[in-house]
């Protein structure tokens, strides 16, 4: 430890000062921290059966509301856990054979104290809100959440061992309105929106939450201790619901859409760019069917994903693929079961064709690639999921992707089509058994079957968590076997991970051990960046949940990661990390981090040739961030970090600034500027074979380059919310990244860089400009959305996209923007109408007519 401190003091003295500051802050915090013990009993509420359903209008004027049992005396969860609320919240629950009804009155001091910024569905702004949580199987792991704001904006979520998922959407009714100094919420949650057992008398987990945004305080009806692990396991109980049956859950959501695309092209023998206009009309349908009281079939036929938000394209100089966010609703809603264990990366479905790389040097010599689609077309998708009375969750996911072809042309004008993606079936099967004490055991199988000679793939995995009775200590882990079936061989690989520690209380700790074999490959339906490794990770954390000094709370942690190569056994990486973040009493938040790599490490991935590695230099990094009070009209997020290397003048500096301005409760803007500068960065440039006639590909030689990589990203988003059902939003993003090479090196087998010496067999001449990259991505997404009926929407979307890349690196930002805007661009304009048809609602209307 003394040697490490001397090294840090000698090379990076600011880090020593920062570590001293952090340790001093810890000491002061420990001295002032005085935790209060709150032992609130678990609460119960009895629902009242009614013969006539109340009108959902935000007015609790029906007499039956006054006879129902009241849930009150909410308990503060943040910023100070434990105290009772000063401004009362009163909640009542009714039920009949069709739904449960929730009526809530939130008392306040004045109308001005009730903040009610409008937002889109599932989008919380600067607003108060009220939430209802239901654990319908009473397993203390899985649940539903339904939320409403004073402006009537709806939000809903699913809860599981994976956390909170707001991408789940249900069809339910709600209304909210102001009454003097109070606001009232009324909800109707039909049984078709949730799932529950067929027991004659139901006992559900239940909780309510109220957010008072003016004071940034959150309150739960049943106390939720932030120091205790888990969320659903800290709810109260709902009793009194008897003799209700799950209804026939059948709904259809047919859609029709029209899209106009304008894209650039060049005619043969001409460099003049022209634009071609395409028009397309399509239709499809989503279907939901309740197989029984527990299981639901969810199917999409001929899905249309043309209106989803554009991906954030980036310049990728790394040896790893870019992981994009999932924006397609079908893959976001109700997928918590399929995401257990982290074996499922949904962007594989409809993503890059498996055989997209076309060999025009040998197999298709003399041909040029004219067209090669980057995405595949999904034909249909099906999900079946649910949970039995015994707590067994079952999920089956299946999707079919159609064939895809690339078009090639030779010098004589002859064209051929080459299959890049065969007809492919993707399947996931999950069995998830809930156990006592917030524990579970899960079995996962993913399978990819491709038509023809292209290989198939399969993965079988297990995930578990076992906790003691008080959920204070836990052990969890997972293991998986991956298989790839080729025509003449099978590749087998495995991984396992084990983690144990203390998971509740102010002080928590854990130790994890992970092994991934050299042949483990889940990437046909999952994603893995760094296989072939063994990792050890001790982690210590201490959180302060009660206010002290000028802070409302403080979170601190320190840990280390030690990695070795699985095969052949070799040292890979060693990292010491620490983080501190908290919220001040003026509701500003801030954080610091330090990462130390005190020894040279071995990068086996950057060379991109098996058997080679690059000896990565000693380096240290630190950073900080600040976020101001979001209640203010103008708020600001700032972040900066610096990374110094024990190698010449190599260093990285990153910063971002993100102001947000709320004009009023309907109009708001967010802007984000980020800048990343990597000076004297070392990265892969090229590799070659000194003996092309030799079949031994292990003789390849690698050239690495020294480069300055500069990236600037600007993103502007704005939205105008007409009401809680209608909105228009705009998102514009410009991303500019350049890599300018200054020198090149031969990578020796010992991981060293040899300057200006090219190995035998290399006949090329390196020119910096030939490897320089100037990359621009510009996107505009403008969306108008109108939810004209429950579950029914009209959406109009305009998209603009520009991708520009070249070897000439621009030095002036505005010249670069001008060149980007004048580049060829794609434009699309689409209209989509989705209409929700519920069988029971339709049946009721027909019976009355």
């Amino acid at each position: 430890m003394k040697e490490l401190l001397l090294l840090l003091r000698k090379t990076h003295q600011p880090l020593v000062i920062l570590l001293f500051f952090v340790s001093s802050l810890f000491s002061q915090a420990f001295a002032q921290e005085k935790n209060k013990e709150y032992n609130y009993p678990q609460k119960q509420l009895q629902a009242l059966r009614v013969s006539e359903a109340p009108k959902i209008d935000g007015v609790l004027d029906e007499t039956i509301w006054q006879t129902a049992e009241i849930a009150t005396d909410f308990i503060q969860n943040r910023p100070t856990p434990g105290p009772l609320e000063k401004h009362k919240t009163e909640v009542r629950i009714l039920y009949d054979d069709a739904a449960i009804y929730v009526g809530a009155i939130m008392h306040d001091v004045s109308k001005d104290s009730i903040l009610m910024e409008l937002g889109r569905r599932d989008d919380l702004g600067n607003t108060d809100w009220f939430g209802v949580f239901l654990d319908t199987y009473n397993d203390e792991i899985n649940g539903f959440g339904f939320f409403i704001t004073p402006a009537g904006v709806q939000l809903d979520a699913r809860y599981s061992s994976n956390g909170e998922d707001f991408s789940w959407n249900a069809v339910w009714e709600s209304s909210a309105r102001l009454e003097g100094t109070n606001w009232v919420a009324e909800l109707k949650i039909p049984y078709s929106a949730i799932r529950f057992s067929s027991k004659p008398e139901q006992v559900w987990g239940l909780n309510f939450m109220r957010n008072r945004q003016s004071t940034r305080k959150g309150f739960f009806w049943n106390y939720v201790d932030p120091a205790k692990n888990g969320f659903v396991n800290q709810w109260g109980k709902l009793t009194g619901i008897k003799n209700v049956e799950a209804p026939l859950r059948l709904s259809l959501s047919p859609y029709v859409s029209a899209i106009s695309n304008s894209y650039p092209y060049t005619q043969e023998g001409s460099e003049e760019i022209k634009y071609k206009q395409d028009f397309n009309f399509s239709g499809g349908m989503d279907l939901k069917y309740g197989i029984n009281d527990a299981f639901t079939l969810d199917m999409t036929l001929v899905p249309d994903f043309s209106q989803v938000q554009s991906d954030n394209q980036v310049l990728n100089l790394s040896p790893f693929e870019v992981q994009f966010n999932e924006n397609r609703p079908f893959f976001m809603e109700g997928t918590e079961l399929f995401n257990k264990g982290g074996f499922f990366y949904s962007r594989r479905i409809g993503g890059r064709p498996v055989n997209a790389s076309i060999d025009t040097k040998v197999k298709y010599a003399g041909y040029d690639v004219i067209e090669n689609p980057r995405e595949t077309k999904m034909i249909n998708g099906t999900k079946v999921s649910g949970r039995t009375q015994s707590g067994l969750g079952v999920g089956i996911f299946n999707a079919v992707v159609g064939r895809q072809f690339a078009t090639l042309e030779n010098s004589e004008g002859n064209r051929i089509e080459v299959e890049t993606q065969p007809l492919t079936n993707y399947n996931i099967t999950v069995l998830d058994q809930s156990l006592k004490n917030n524990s579970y055991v899960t079995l996962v199988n993913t399978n990819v079957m491709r038509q023809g000679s292209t290989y198939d793939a399969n993965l079988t995995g297990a995930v578990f968590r076992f906790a003691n009775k008080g959920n204070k200590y836990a052990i969890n882990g997972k293991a998986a076997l991956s298989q790839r079936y080729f025509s003449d061989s099978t590749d087998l690989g495995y991984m396992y991970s084990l983690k144990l520690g203390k998971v509740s209380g102010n002080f928590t700790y854990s130790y994890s051990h992970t092994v991934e074999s050299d042949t483990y490959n889940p990437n046909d339906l999952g994603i893995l960046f760094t296989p072939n490794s063994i990792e050890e990770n001790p982690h210590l954390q201490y959180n302060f949940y009660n206010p002290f000094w000028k802070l409302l709370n403080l979170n601190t942690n320190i840990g280390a990661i030690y990695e070795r190569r699985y095969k052949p056994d070799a040292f890979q990486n060693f990292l010491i990390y620490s983080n501190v973040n908290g919220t001040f009493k003026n509701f500003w938040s801030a954080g610091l981090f330090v990462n130390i790599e005190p020894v040279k490490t071995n990068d086996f991935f950057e060379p991109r040739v098996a058997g080679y590695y690059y000896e990565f230099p000693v380096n240290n990094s630190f950073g900080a961030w600040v976020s101001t009070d979001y209640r203010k009209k103008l708020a600001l997020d700032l972040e900066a970090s610096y990374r110094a290397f024990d190698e010449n003048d190599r260093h990285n500096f990153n910063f971002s600034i993100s102001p947000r301005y709320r004009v009023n409760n309907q109009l708001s803007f967010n802007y984000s500027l980020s800048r990343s500068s990597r000076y004297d960065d070392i990265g892969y440039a090229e590799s070659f074979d000194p003996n092309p006639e030799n079949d031994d590909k292990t003789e390849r030689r690698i050239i690495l380059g020294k480069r300055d990589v500069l990236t600037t990203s600007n993103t502007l988003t704005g939205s105008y919310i007409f009401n809680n059902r209608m909105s228009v939003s705009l998102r514009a993003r410009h991303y500019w990244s350049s890599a300018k090479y200054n020198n090149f090196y031969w990578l020796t087998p010992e991981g060293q860089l040899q300057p200006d010496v090219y190995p035998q067999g290399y006949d090329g001449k390196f020119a910096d400009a030939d490897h320089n990259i100037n990359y621009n991505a510009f996107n505009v997404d403008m969306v108008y959305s109108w939810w004209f009926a429950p579950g029914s929407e009209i959406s109009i979307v305009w998209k603009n996209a520009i991708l520009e890349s070249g070897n000439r690196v621009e030095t002036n930002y505005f010249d670069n923007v001008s060149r980007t805007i004048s580049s060829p661009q794609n434009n699309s304009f689409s209209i989509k109408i989705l209409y929700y048809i519920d069988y029971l609602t339709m049946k009721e209307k027909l019976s009355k007519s």
Side-chain angles (χ1 to χ4, degrees), residues 444-577:
V444 181
N445 182 264
T446 70
N447 183 271
V448 181
M449 296 187 67
R450 301 181 176 95
Q451 188 181 51
S453 59
T454 305
Y455 73 93
D456 300 328
N458 189 82
L459 180 142
T460 301
V463 187
F464 68 87
R465 182 185 193 270
F466 301 118
N468 69 331
K469 187 175 181 180
N471 197 28
K472 190 173 183 179
Y473 300 93
I475 178 172
N476 56 280
K478 66 177 181 177
L481 176 70
S482 68
Q483 303 167 78
R484 283 185 164 190
Y485 302 100
F486 299 90
S487 58
D488 56 352
S489 64
T490 301
D491 285 350
L492 297 177
Y494 70 90
M495 70 79 58
Y496 67 87
S497 177
L498 193 64
K499 180 179 180 180
L500 67 159
K502 182 173 179 286
V503 296
S504 292
N506 294 74
F507 177 57
T508 60
Y509 54 82
S510 66
Y511 185 90
S512 65
H513 170 72
T514 303
V515 174
E516 293 165 345
S517 73
D518 57 318
T519 53
Y520 176 66
N521 192 337
N523 285 333
D524 290 277
L525 200 46
I527 189 166
L528 175 66
F529 296 105
T530 56
N532 193 17
S533 68
I534 302 175
E535 179 183 297
E536 315 295 335
N537 178 206
H539 181 87
L540 305 176
Q541 184 163 320
Y542 196 97
N543 295 334
F544 304 86
Y545 299 107
N546 290 301
F548 69 97
W549 188 52
K550 299 181 183 300
L551 290 165
L552 291 171
N553 54 62
L554 184 70
N555 305 311
T556 67
N557 68 61
I558 188 170
I561 297 175
Y562 177 80
E563 287 183 276
R564 296 193 67 83
R565 197 80 164 153
Y566 174 81
K567 185 178 182 181
D569 179 48
F571 170 71
Q572 183 163 294
N573 190 31
F574 178 58
L575 168 69
I576 301 171
Y577 62 87

Side-chain angles (χ1 to χ4, degrees), residues 609 612 684-692 696-703 745-747 757-764 766:
V609 175
Y612 280 81
Y684 174 86
E686 190 173 320
S687 65
F688 67 95
D689 193 342
N691 300 300
D696 187 4
K697 300 303 179 184
T698 61
E699 296 298 322
R700 293 192 68 83
R701 299 292 185 259
I702 300 102
I703 304 296
Y745 305 87
W746 167 40
L747 181 65
V757 178
Y758 299 119
Q760 182 180 4
Y762 179 67
D763 299 325
F766 265 84

